Amino acid sequence: MSGICGWLSVNHSTIENQQVIDRMTRLLTRFDSNPAQTTAQGSAALSVVAKASHAHLYEKDGLLVGIWGRIKSRNKQLQADIDVKGMAAALADLWLQKGEKLFSDLGGEFVCCIVDSHARKVALAIDPLGTHTLYYQQLDNGILFGSSADVLLTHPQASQEINPQGLLNYLYFHMIPGPGTIYQAQQRLLPGEYLYFHDGRAEINHYTQAQFNEDIKRPFPELQQEFLSLLRKSVSEIIQDQKAGAFLSGGTDSSTLAGILTEVTGEPAKTYSIGFEATGYDEMYYARIAARHFSTDHHEYYVTPDDVVETIPLIASVFDQPFGNASALPAYYCARMARKDGLDLLLGGDGGDELFGGNVRYAKQYIFSLYDKIPAPLRNYLLSPLILSIPPDTDPKLLRKARSYVAQATVPMPHRMETYNLLTHYGFEAVFSPELLAQVNTGQPAQLIEQTYHDTSHARSLINRMLAFDWKFTLADNDFPKVVQACRLGGMEVSFPFANDEMLAFSLALDPDLKLKGTQLRYFFKQALRGFLPNEIIAKQKQGFGLPFGVWLQSHKPLREISADSLSDLKARNIIRNDFIDKLLDQHLHEHASYHGTMVWLLMMLEYWFKQHTQ
C-alpha cells in the first residue's frame, strides 16, 4: 500500500530536505518494497510510494503534485488531459486554472497533495468516503502532511506530544475518530474534505458532500439492472490486469464480490476465509457455500489462540494510532494467504452495509422509532412514567422487556445507538485516573456523535441518517483503516468496490424503504441478487470476522498471561485506574468473558501501541 508525505516550510538546504524526505519515505515502505518517487525543492518536499499505477508525481517551477491511490476524473475534459499529459501533470495544469476548487473534479480512492512553493500554498484532499487517510500538522511557517501519523513524527519540526483526549476517545469508540488523533498537534482530514493552506493559515472545507434524494421512485427491474451493471463495472475498473482475489466471510457483500470477480475475469476467483474453533464465531459454513456456488479457488485458515499471541505485537506496530477492532487480525491472515499465492490485490466488501442498510442496529433503531409515533401527550404523560416506574428486575419477563424498550426508546437519537457503550457502562470515573480526567472533556464523544448525526439533516429518513452517520464512524474511522492496515501488514493491496463513486450515487437516490423495509435489512440488495447469491446466504444473519478473544482468555494460558502482563505494564502510565484493571481481570472476565474481554483487548492493544510507537 505504502503512502504519501511532504511539507512546505522555511528554506533549508536541498540536501537537508532530501535527507528528511528520505527518512520519511523509508518509514512508508517498511511493510513492503514499493518504488518511491521523491523530490525536494527549496522549502518544499514530496514523496509518493506505491505501485506505478497508484503513484503519480509531478514537479516543475516550484509546483509539486503527488497522488496516491486510484484517482478518477469526474469530467471528460480532465480525463482527456490525463490521457495526454498523465495524471499529475493534468492536475498541475488544473491547479493553475482552478486552484483548490479542482478537487470537485476528482473521485476514486485517493490522496492528492499539491505544494506550490513559490506561491507558498498547499492543497490536500482525500476521497469522498475516506478509504485513504491524510494527517497534517500546521507548523509556525508552513504545513507538514502524510498518509500515516508515524511518518509525520520523523520530521524535525513535528510534535510527539500525546493527546489525552485521544486516549479517552479511543476507549469510547475503540478507535480515535477524526479529525482528532493520538497526537496533540496532528489532525486528520475527514472524507470528502480538502485543506487549503495559504497566507500562513489552513482552511478546511468539503469539496463534495453526499445529498440524498428520497423522492425518486423507479421500477425494480430498472434498478436491479443498473445495480448489477455498476457492480461489474466497479470490479472491472479496480482489477484491470492485476491478479485479484476477494475476502470471503460468507456474508452477502463478500459473497457478491466473489461471484462478480469470477464473472468479470471468466475464471474461478481466489477467495480467502478465516475460521475459529469457537461456538458462535465461525462462519466457514457459509463461506464454503459461496465458494461452492461460484466455484471459486477457495483458501481457508483457522486462527488459533497461539496465532493471536504471536500476531498482537505485529498488529499494534502497523496501526499508527491505538486501534481496538480485533477483526484486523483475521483480515491480516487473509492478506497473508493472498500474498503467498502471488496476488496483487484483494477486494473488500466494506461499505455494502452502510450503502444498502445491512447493520442489525438499523432494524433495532427502527423498532425503537415506532414509539415516537404514539401521540406525544399519551407517550410523555402516561405511558413513559407508568412503564418506567416498573423496577428493572421485576417479573414477569414481559414487563421487564416493556420497561427496557421504553427506557431505550425515550433516549433521543443519535445517543440511543450508544446505550450499550462499554465505557459508559463502566463509567469514566471508574476507568480513568484522576490525572487523565483532569485533562480531557468527557462529554466530547457525545458531542462528536451529535455533530456528525446532525450533519446528516439533509436526510429525512431514519435509515439514511444512520447510513450517513456510519460513513464516518464505521467506515472512514474504523473499517477502512482496519482492512487497509491489516493488508499493509500482510503485504497486500486492497480496494473496496462498494466505495465506488457511482455506487454511492446509486445509493443516495435509492428509496429509503428499499434499504430497510420494516425490519428487513438490505431489502433491495438481497432482492436484486436473488438467483445470483445462494439462498442460504441471502437468508443468513449478519456476523463477520469477529475474534473470540474473550472466550479464549478463559482457556488459553499464554493469551491470558500476555494480557495480564500488558495491563500490568499499562498501570505505570497513569491512564487507567489500577483498581479498575484488577477488577477487570479478577472479577469482570469471569462474569461475562466475551463482553468484558473487549475491554481487556482494548487496554492490551493500547499498551502494545505505546511500546511500539513511543519511547
Side-chain angles (χ1 to χ4, degrees):
M1 297 295 294
S2 299
I4 192 169
C5 61
W7 70 84
L8 175 70
S9 186
V10 295
N11 285 314
H12 294 297
S13 72
T14 301
I15 294 176
E16 289 174 340
N17 279 347
Q18 190 64 55
Q19 290 172 342
V20 174
I21 198 68
D22 286 346
R23 286 201 304 269
M24 297 172 78
T25 301
R26 284 194 295 273
L27 190 63
L28 287 176
T29 61
R30 70 189 188 277
F31 294 104
D32 55 46
S33 56
N34 284 330
Q37 303 177 54
T38 65
T39 183
Q41 295 186 4
S43 61
L46 188 60
S47 178
V48 187
V49 185
K51 291 183 177 180
S53 59
H54 303 152
H56 308 272
L57 180 64
Y58 173 88
E59 54 177 313
K60 185 178 180 181
D61 299 331
L63 180 61
L64 312 179
V65 177
I67 301 159
W68 173 52
R70 299 173 178 85
I71 202 166
K72 294 172 60 178
S73 166
R74 289 183 171 181
N75 69 61
K76 293 182 179 179
Q77 182 56 55
L78 175 57
Q79 187 59 54
D81 290 344
I82 291 171
D83 293 339
V84 173
K85 304 174 185 176
M87 179 70 71
L91 291 189
D93 288 345
L94 196 60
W95 163 260
L96 297 175
Q97 298 169 26
K98 300 179 66 173
E100 75 280 10
K101 304 302 181 185
L102 70 90
F103 296 121
S104 61
D105 292 332
L106 306 182
E109 303 174 32
F110 70 89
V111 172
C112 183
C113 304
I114 299 172
V115 182
D116 192 334
S117 60
H118 290 171
R120 296 202 60 77
K121 294 179 179 179
V122 175
L124 313 170
I126 65 168
D127 58 79
L129 279 177
T131 60
H132 285 51
T133 56
L134 191 65
Y135 299 84
Y136 62 92
Q137 176 189 332
Q138 189 159 351
L139 308 173
D140 290 339
N141 41 33
I143 194 161
L144 171 66
F145 55 87
S147 52
S148 161
D150 289 343
V151 77
L152 267 65
L153 300 182
T154 62
H155 191 279
Q157 297 183 49
S159 170
Q160 300 194 28
E161 182 182 357
I162 295 293
N163 179 11
Q165 188 69 48
L167 295 171
L168 181 140
N169 289 353
Y170 163 70
L171 285 189
Y172 188 95
F173 293 103
H174 305 183
M175 46 72 186
I176 301 175
T181 75
I182 191 59
Y183 298 107
Q184 194 77 261
Q186 288 188 24
Q187 294 285 97
R188 183 161 62 90
L189 286 183
L190 299 181
E193 280 189 344
Y194 72 90
L195 179 151
Y196 180 41
F197 177 83
H198 64 107
D199 301 323
R201 59 190 176 86
E203 298 176 1
I204 306 292
N205 290 290
H206 281 90
Y207 67 87
T208 183
Q209 283 186 294
Q211 294 292 325
F212 290 97
N213 188 333
E214 302 191 352
D215 299 318
I216 297 177
K217 307 291 183 183
R218 295 171 60 191
F220 178 83
E222 180 183 308
L223 288 169
Q224 182 184 36
Q225 182 178 359
E226 181 180 350
F227 173 62
L228 293 174
S229 176
L230 285 175
L231 271 173
R232 297 184 188 101
K233 181 182 179 184
S234 181
V235 170
S236 297
E237 288 179 347
I238 288 170
I239 62 171
Q240 297 182 1
D241 58 351
Q242 299 177 93
K243 296 177 182 177
F247 289 97
L248 184 56
S249 69
T252 51
D253 291 326
S254 64
S255 300
T256 297
L257 293 183
I260 294 293
L261 182 59
T262 296
E263 183 181 289
V264 165
T265 61
E267 57 186 37
K270 289 186 178 294
T271 52
Y272 299 88
S273 297
I274 295 300
F276 307 104
E277 296 288 356
T279 303
Y281 288 86
D282 188 35
E283 279 197 294
M284 197 66 81
Y285 171 78
Y286 291 100
R288 289 168 180 164
I289 289 175
R292 287 194 298 270
H293 182 78
F294 294 115
S295 300
T296 71
D297 180 4
H298 190 52
H299 304 262
E300 299 176 353
Y301 183 77
Y302 268 78
V303 172
T304 69
D306 287 327
D307 290 327
V308 177
V309 171
E310 177 185 340
T311 310
I312 281 170
L314 297 175
I315 294 291
S317 71
V318 78
F319 283 96
D320 52 3
Q321 301 196 88
F323 189 79
N325 188 331
S327 60
L329 193 144
Y332 159 68
Y333 277 97
C334 282
R336 198 172 73 165
M337 284 192 287
R339 176 72 173 181
K340 186 177 179 180
D341 285 344
L343 295 193
D344 302 313
L345 172 71
L346 273 176
L347 302 182
D350 303 84
D353 283 335
E354 291 75 22
L355 290 182
F356 297 102
N359 288 320
V360 175
R361 64 180 170 277
Y362 302 152
K364 183 180 292 187
Q365 295 307 323
Y366 165 76
I367 293 172
F368 286 134
S369 73
L370 297 178
Y371 191 66
D372 289 334
K373 298 185 182 299
I374 299 173
L378 176 61
R379 188 176 71 241
N380 296 333
Y381 297 108
L382 178 60
L383 289 178
S384 292
L386 178 63
I387 296 174
L388 292 176
S389 68
I390 299 170
D393 56 351
T394 192
D395 282 321
K397 186 177 181 180
L398 183 61
L399 286 179
R400 289 204 308 273
K401 285 190 171 183
R403 188 193 188 284
S404 176
Y405 172 83
V406 173
Q408 293 181 73
T410 52
V411 176
M413 287 289 283
H415 304 291
R416 192 165 67 219
M417 294 188 287
E418 295 297 313
T419 54
Y420 294 101
N421 185 277
L422 189 60
L423 182 55
T424 56
H425 169 80
Y426 294 123
F428 294 105
E429 292 77 12
V431 174
F432 292 107
S433 69
E435 291 79 8
L436 184 119
L437 287 174
Q439 303 175 70
V440 300
N441 174 10
T442 57
Q444 193 191 78
Q447 293 166 8
L448 285 172
I449 289 168
E450 183 87 19
Q451 177 184 343
T452 301
Y453 189 75
H454 288 291
D455 282 347
T456 69
S457 58
H458 58 280
R460 299 196 306 270
S461 64
L462 175 65
I463 180 60
N464 278 342
R465 298 191 77 173
M466 288 190 289
L467 293 180
F469 178 89
D470 276 351
W471 294 343
K472 181 194 184 305
F473 284 110
T474 301
L475 290 181
D477 288 330
N478 197 328
D479 287 352
F480 287 147
K482 174 195 72 179
V483 180
V484 166
Q485 297 291 36
C487 286
R488 185 181 179 210
L489 181 63
M492 181 56 50
E493 297 283 330
V494 64
S495 189
F496 307 99
F498 290 111
N500 179 283
D501 296 337
E502 293 170 281
M503 192 70 74
L504 173 60
F506 180 85
S507 171
L508 290 171
L510 189 63
D511 186 339
D513 289 338
L514 292 179
K515 298 171 183 176
L516 182 68
K517 192 175 185 67
T519 59
Q520 295 180 67
L521 299 170
R522 307 177 72 120
Y523 180 79
F524 166 77
F525 190 100
K526 291 181 177 181
Q527 294 302 315
L529 290 166
R530 285 198 181 277
F532 181 77
L533 288 178
N535 290 333
E536 298 96 325
I537 287 175
I538 288 178
K540 78 178 284 290
Q541 296 295 310
K542 180 175 174 57
Q543 193 167 329
F545 278 158
L547 186 74
F549 175 73
V551 175
W552 284 345
L553 270 180
Q554 304 301 297
S555 57
H556 193 264
K557 185 178 179 181
L559 191 57
R560 194 162 57 248
E561 287 176 346
I562 68 161
S563 301
D565 289 346
S566 62
L567 267 61
S568 178
D569 292 343
L570 184 62
K571 288 180 178 180
R573 301 190 187 277
N574 204 26
I575 297 169
I576 307 298
R577 291 177 62 99
N578 290 356
D579 58 347
F580 174 77
I581 291 176
D582 292 338
K583 189 173 183 179
L584 179 64
L585 294 175
D586 298 338
Q587 177 183 334
H588 290 325
L589 265 182
H590 301 291
E591 296 170 345
H592 197 313
S594 59
Y595 181 79
H596 297 290
T598 300
M599 181 56 74
V600 176
W601 177 270
L602 291 171
L603 296 179
M604 179 179 65
M605 296 309 294
L606 177 61
E607 175 58 25
Y608 270 97
W609 181 86
F610 271 112
K611 283 185 169 70
Q612 298 278 357
H613 295 269
T614 62
Q615 297 179 352

